């Protein structure tokens, strides 16, 4: 199946700023698993992020396919803010959408830096019913003992770590170990940076279940105003 033809390559424009929307696919059957709202500008405040999330959720019928959910990559600011879980849960309540339709991703290094505060925040968000993801900044420095304590649903590889080249057996072993690690924790292994059908096929054969990247960024779709 040619996954690229299903790409909802659209952006959200809010407060004069453009936020890209990127698809994540179930590699096993080619269905759209989620759409990610990307905050690439480091000057995006927590308030701006919440407003953009609210806009996407409000317009979700023009963006998300049935069964797909929205996910966002956040950082240390949201992870450290004790009000963040209730703020984002309040947005879901106002719009009338279940928190299970929203996935929140945080980088593992920010989690490690905050320690028990990050664990408490994860537990609070999980009690609210959100899907939770962990972005692995580097397989080489993956804080395995700490990650095991977090109630995450998805572990997502960095683009550089998702390259399993035939001439690099160590890279392939690392990905297989990552998949096994995620499976032992009942977490879904995912990968960013999928740029070719060959890479997609290799990741799929090694057990990666969700993929995203340049391969899926082809088509222009409706942009809510």
């Amino acid at each position: 199946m040619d996954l690229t033809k299903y790409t909802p390559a659209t952006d959200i424009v809010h407060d004069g700023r453009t936020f890209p929307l990127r698809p994540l696919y179930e590699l096993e059957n080619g269905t759209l698993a989620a759409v990610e709202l990307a905050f690439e500008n480091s000057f995006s405040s927590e308030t701006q992020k919440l407003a953009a999330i609210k806009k996407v959720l409000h317009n979700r019928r023009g963006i998300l396919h049935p069964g797909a959910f929205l996910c966002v990559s956040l950082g240390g600011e949201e992870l450290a803010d004790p009000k963040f879980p209730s703020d984002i849960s309040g947005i879901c309540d106002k719009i009338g959408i279940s928190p299970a339709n929203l996935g929140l991703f945080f980088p593992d290094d920010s989690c490690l830096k905050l320690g028990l505060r990050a664990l408490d925040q994860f537990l609070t968000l999980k009690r609210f019913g959100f899907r939770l993801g962990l972005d692995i900044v580097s397989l080489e420095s993956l804080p395995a003992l700490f990650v095991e304590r977090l109630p995450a649903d998805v572990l997502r590889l960095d683009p550089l770590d998702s390259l399993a080249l035939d001439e690099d057996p160590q890279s392939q072993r690392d990905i297989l170990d990552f998949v096994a690690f995620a499976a032992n924790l009942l977490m879904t292994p995912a990968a960013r940076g999928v740029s070719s059908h060959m890479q997609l096929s290799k990741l799929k054969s090694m057990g990666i279940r969700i993929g995203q990247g340049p391969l899926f960024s082809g088509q222009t779709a409706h942009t809510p105003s």
Side-chain angles (χ1 to χ4, degrees), residues 8-9 14 24-26 44-45 73 80 86 94 103 107 109 113 125 137 139 163 165 167-168 177-178 183 188 190 208:
H14 176 73
L24 290 78
Y25 285 97
E26 293 277 0
S44 294
S45 68
S73 293
S86 58
K94 287 179 182 177
D109 57 351
K113 192 176 298 181
L125 289 165
V137 176
L139 275 177
L163 292 172
L165 305 176
E167 61 271 22
D168 186 3
D177 288 345
F178 167 79
T188 300
I208 296 294

Side-chain angles (χ1 to χ4, degrees), residues 24-25 32 40 45 67 81 107 111 163 175 205 218 221:
L24 290 78
Y25 285 97
L32 184 70
E40 295 179 327
S45 68
D81 183 358
C111 293
L163 292 172
I175 294 177
S205 70

Side-chain angles (χ1 to χ4, degrees), residues 58-221:
H58 183 74
N59 292 287
R60 64 190 183 281
R61 290 178 181 84
I63 298 170
L64 300 178
H65 292 196
F69 63 94
L70 176 71
C71 69
V72 290
S73 293
L74 301 166
E77 181 181 1
E78 293 80 20
L79 202 57
D81 183 358
K83 298 185 300 179
F84 177 74
S86 58
D87 286 344
I88 197 163
S89 178
I91 288 175
C92 292
D93 287 342
K94 287 179 182 177
I95 294 175
I97 188 172
S98 168
N101 290 320
L102 183 57
L104 309 175
F105 279 79
F106 298 93
D108 64 352
D109 57 351
S110 293
C111 293
L112 187 60
K113 192 176 298 181
L114 287 168
L116 289 177
R117 290 170 64 194
L119 177 58
D120 287 343
Q121 191 80 315
F122 262 67
L123 291 170
T124 301
L125 289 165
K126 180 55 69 175
R127 282 194 292 268
F128 273 110
F130 292 101
R131 299 174 188 249
L132 297 177
L134 202 61
D135 281 327
I136 306 305
V137 176
S138 169
L139 275 177
E140 192 173 324
S141 59
L142 190 156
L145 294 178
F146 185 73
V147 170
E148 289 174 355
R149 302 177 65 184
L150 297 174
D153 302 291
V154 179
L155 292 184
R156 186 166 59 173
L157 281 176
D158 182 85
L160 286 179
D161 281 321
S162 67
L163 292 172
L165 305 176
D166 290 334
E167 61 271 22
D168 186 3
Q170 183 59 53
S171 171
Q172 297 184 45
R173 284 193 294 271
D174 288 345
I175 294 177
L176 288 171
D177 288 345
F178 167 79
V179 170
F181 176 71
N184 286 338
L185 298 175
L186 301 180
M187 298 178 186
T188 300
R192 291 179 289 176
V194 182
S195 57
S196 70
H197 287 284
M198 183 180 297
Q199 183 188 7
L200 183 151
S201 178
K202 189 173 290 293
L203 289 172
K204 179 180 173 181
S205 70
M206 288 190 288
I208 296 294
R209 289 175 50 192
I210 294 177
Q212 66 184 118
L215 178 63
F216 310 122
S217 59
Q219 217 170 12
T220 301

